[in-house]
Amino acid sequence: MIDPMAGSLFATSDLHVGYAENRQIVDRIEPESTDDWLVVAGDVGERFDDIERTLRLLRGRFAQVIWAPGNHELWTHASDPVRLRGEHRYRELVRMCRDIDVLTPEDDYAVWRGPGGPVTIAPLFLLYDYTFRPPGADTREEALRQAYDKGVVCVDEMVLHPDPYPDREAWCHARVALSERRLAAADPAMPTLLVNHWPLVRQPTEVLWYPEFAQWCGTVLTADWHVRFRAAAVVYGHLHIPRTTYYDGVRFEEVSLGYPREWSRRGPTPNPLRRIFGTPS
């Protein structure tokens, strides 16, 4: 019999360490105990060296770190010496994570056996396919036209390249198919913690100030995954609207830090960690 772990499982996302204020917050992150795990649901930063530095720092403090990429990690940014694009950039990020002992969507699923467990932790990389369309848009082209007319266009359109796929939709669909097969093969007797940068369901985007932005926020193909794959909880980021909601009785945790102009409106310096499982020490 495997002894259960102590500690807590925390989650965070959208650290955006390219901002000095955010980097100061991240540098102060500490676990409560030596048994604590941390899930990072994407958008650590844009530059490869910033991403590596941050994940290395966190791995040095937590007993386990599990990372799922966001859109910002996948940007081929003009200021980044690492010029890889698309799938090649993602694979290089995975290689870097393995070098520093951080788990990724390409690794075997870890099992959290602490309070609230056992739970299979499934980090996902799914992207989006423009199916979260704004009202009045029946096609991708109509949705994009509305966004450009309103001046609400995700930077991904310029710097997130899908190579070698023909477009981001094709890359999304390939990732969805791969992830679906892996989740279907997981232990059916064990609940899961599903971790994805983009929300798995459409409902969280309904509070966006600009509904045109929702098309860059997920895919309808995952709308029932929290039920099909026995989710005890779902962790996501991307929207910069940290909160707890429930869909079909499943807890969804949006765990983003966000940009300084966003978190500074909410009060004092925020705690970027959300406890998913466990109790305060």
Side-chain angles (χ1 to χ4, degrees), residues 27 91 113 155 190 222:
D27 285 349
R91 293 294 169 178
R113 299 187 184 277
V155 178
M190 193 175 296
T222 60

Side-chain angles (χ1 to χ4, degrees), residues 13-35:
S13 76
D14 298 82
L15 298 174
H16 294 292
V17 298
Y19 290 87
E21 301 96 322
N22 283 30
R23 185 177 292 229
Q24 291 170 6
I25 291 171
V26 171
D27 285 349
R28 293 195 295 267
I29 289 176
E30 293 283 354
E32 292 180 357
S33 82
T34 57
D35 297 311

Side-chain angles (χ1 to χ4, degrees), residues 31-260:
E32 292 180 357
S33 82
T34 57
D35 297 311
D36 290 346
W37 287 25
L38 178 63
V39 167
V40 183
D43 277 8
V44 173
E46 292 82 34
R47 287 176 54 103
F48 198 98
D49 55 355
D50 282 344
I51 301 164
E52 180 174 6
R53 172 193 177 276
T54 302
L55 290 177
R56 186 184 295 275
L57 179 148
L58 295 173
R59 181 62 188 90
R61 297 178 180 178
F62 286 82
Q64 184 61 266
V65 173
I66 301 169
W67 167 81
N71 53 314
H72 282 237
E73 282 107 336
L74 300 170
W75 286 1
T76 304
H77 199 277
S79 67
D80 193 342
V82 178
R83 305 301 298 162
L84 295 171
R85 293 163 56 115
E87 179 78 11
H88 300 296
R89 182 175 177 87
Y90 171 60
R91 293 294 169 178
E92 184 65 8
L93 287 163
V94 169
R95 181 205 60 76
M96 176 270 290
C97 284
R98 287 174 171 168
D99 285 348
I100 62 175
D101 192 31
V102 168
L103 296 178
T104 78
E106 306 310 306
D107 296 309
D108 292 340
Y109 295 151
V111 176
W112 168 253
R113 299 187 184 277
V119 175
T120 298
I121 303 175
L124 305 171
F125 167 38
L126 302 176
L127 282 165
Y128 50 84
D129 62 0
Y130 302 88
T131 51
F132 290 180
R133 295 175 187 137
D138 295 323
T139 65
R140 171 185 181 275
E141 290 71 26
E142 290 174 355
L144 282 171
R145 187 179 307 114
Q146 283 192 25
Y148 276 93
D149 288 346
K150 292 283 185 67
V152 181
V153 179
C154 184
V155 178
D156 291 4
E157 293 296 311
M158 282 66 77
V159 295
L160 201 168
H161 305 288
D163 313 20
Y165 295 91
D167 49 42
R168 283 179 288 277
E169 300 99 302
W171 196 6
C172 168
H173 294 167
R175 293 299 313 182
V176 166
L178 171 64
S179 302
E180 192 169 23
R181 289 194 298 271
R182 290 196 65 196
L183 287 169
D187 183 351
M190 193 175 296
T192 62
L193 174 64
L194 302 181
V195 180
N196 189 50
H197 179 65
W198 298 269
L200 295 181
V201 297
R202 171 79 187 252
Q203 291 94 318
T205 70
E206 293 171 355
V207 298
L208 291 173
W209 287 354
Y210 300 103
E212 296 80 12
F213 190 77
Q215 62 194 293
W216 290 283
C217 295
T219 170
V220 298
L221 296 174
T222 60
D224 65 347
W225 281 23
H226 58 294
V227 176
R228 283 178 59 199
F229 298 121
R230 311 169 303 284
V234 177
V235 167
Y236 69 98
H238 190 58
L239 303 184
H240 296 193
I241 307 172
R243 58 181 179 150
T244 303
T245 52
Y246 290 82
Y247 307 109
D248 302 303
V250 177
R251 174 167 55 108
F252 280 64
E253 298 282 3
E254 212 274 32
V255 297
S256 59
L257 173 60
Y259 301 129

